[in-house]
Amino acid sequence: MSFFQSDIAYAFYSSLKCVKAFKVTTDKGYVQGYIQQEKGLLKGFFSRRAIVLGGPVLYPDATEEDVTKLLQKLKQATKSAIYTEIRAEKDYSEYKEAFTDIGFGYTPHLNVLIKCDTEEKTFDRMDENRRRQIRRAAESGVSCRYATNLDEVRTFYGLLKNHYKKKVKKPLFTWEFFEKMFTSGTGKYLLAIKDEKIIGGMLQVSTDSTVYDYYACGLDAEYQAESPSAIIYWETIKRAISDGRKIFDTMGAGTPEIPYGVRDFKLRFGGELTEFGRYTSINKPVLYKLGCLAIKIIS
């Protein structure tokens, strides 16, 4: 089961002021997520969205009719949002007709899953450039460890905010989210450190079988010899193997046919490219169209 459909995830999102958590159930499954909007009167009004990470949890004998009932309840629970988006972590193609009939359109979206079996095998599956970066990072004296206090988490958050502002250009959770991830123990922050300075990191959440790259960034341009993003990925793989986890889920690799540097970065670790896609229901079509225009203008 996905971390994002676990009781731990639901309890975490329910504790936040910046989102409104929801969960709906039937006798054949359940689905949970959160409703979120940006700060500001205009931006907030036009950015109300319901996000479901991982996708519905369905019993093995669930039929299309059962899935339809669950999705109907989901739409009812998220009707205040302008749109509801399911970011699938598994293949729901056998229920595609149920999704379509209830108004969830499919959009292709990629991900990269990295198998964590042994250090030797995972290292061999990487391309030569990535292996060279990891060796060079080790030689340069960069080290990795988990954050031990909120000051370190705040430093990582500062790096991440700057990264999102300059490069990603997408909404980012407020400090409350990152603070509570640490204080509640829901997530861990793996940090790359050089000369006692944090030069990169990753917020990780996990299940017994999978570790997820929830948020990550690194000062790769400023620290080329240390390759903080690469060493963080390698350390994540090594720790997953040590902890008995089999998969490193890198959480997204963009849209097929559109070049994406992040996808290239992830694939060089020898991962598997998957396409489980996203299912979106536009709950308020007029506001959705106006919102797309408004967000462009005021962003």
Side-chain angles (χ1 to χ4, degrees), residues 55-210:
V57 177
L58 305 172
Y59 292 176
D61 61 344
T63 64
E64 285 208 2
E65 183 179 354
D66 295 324
V67 175
T68 297
K69 289 178 181 179
L70 182 59
L71 294 177
Q72 285 174 331
K73 294 189 72 172
L74 172 61
K75 291 192 72 168
Q76 181 64 25
T78 61
K79 64 182 181 180
S80 65
I82 293 174
Y83 66 92
T84 302
E85 183 175 79
I86 299 172
R87 300 176 183 177
E89 195 178 310
K90 58 178 290 186
D91 186 3
Y92 290 98
S93 59
E94 66 178 298
Y95 302 110
K96 193 170 185 178
E97 188 173 333
F99 279 87
T100 302
D101 288 347
I102 205 69
F104 279 89
Y106 178 81
T107 302
H109 199 83
L110 302 171
N111 191 19
V112 175
L113 302 177
I114 299 174
K115 184 178 180 180
C116 303
D117 40 14
T118 70
E119 286 190 25
E120 182 179 9
K121 289 179 179 178
T122 52
F123 197 73
D124 286 345
R125 284 194 291 266
M126 298 179 196
D127 73 4
E128 180 53 40
N129 182 58
R130 189 63 71 236
R131 292 196 291 266
R132 183 167 54 250
Q133 283 184 315
I134 291 169
R135 293 190 191 100
R136 186 176 61 187
E139 292 169 357
S140 71
V142 64
S143 62
C144 293
R145 64 168 174 78
Y146 289 118
T148 58
N149 57 65
L150 276 175
D151 285 340
E152 292 178 340
V153 175
R154 192 179 293 276
T155 298
F156 167 76
Y157 181 57
L159 297 180
L160 191 65
K161 280 182 67 176
N162 187 58
H163 177 64
Y164 265 66
K165 181 179 180 180
K166 291 185 176 181
K167 292 187 177 181
V168 181
K169 301 185 185 299
K170 291 182 179 179
L172 181 66
F173 279 112
T174 62
W175 166 244
E176 177 201 19
F177 172 91
F178 294 90
E179 177 185 27
K180 286 192 174 181
M181 266 285 174
F182 179 81
T183 57
S184 68
T186 304
K188 292 183 177 181
Y189 293 86
L190 184 61
L191 306 175
I193 298 172
K194 170 70 173 180
D195 297 330
E196 300 184 0
K197 179 180 179 180
I198 296 170
I199 61 173
M202 179 192 296
L203 168 57
Q204 303 172 346
V205 292
S206 60
T207 64
D208 289 342
S209 62
T210 305

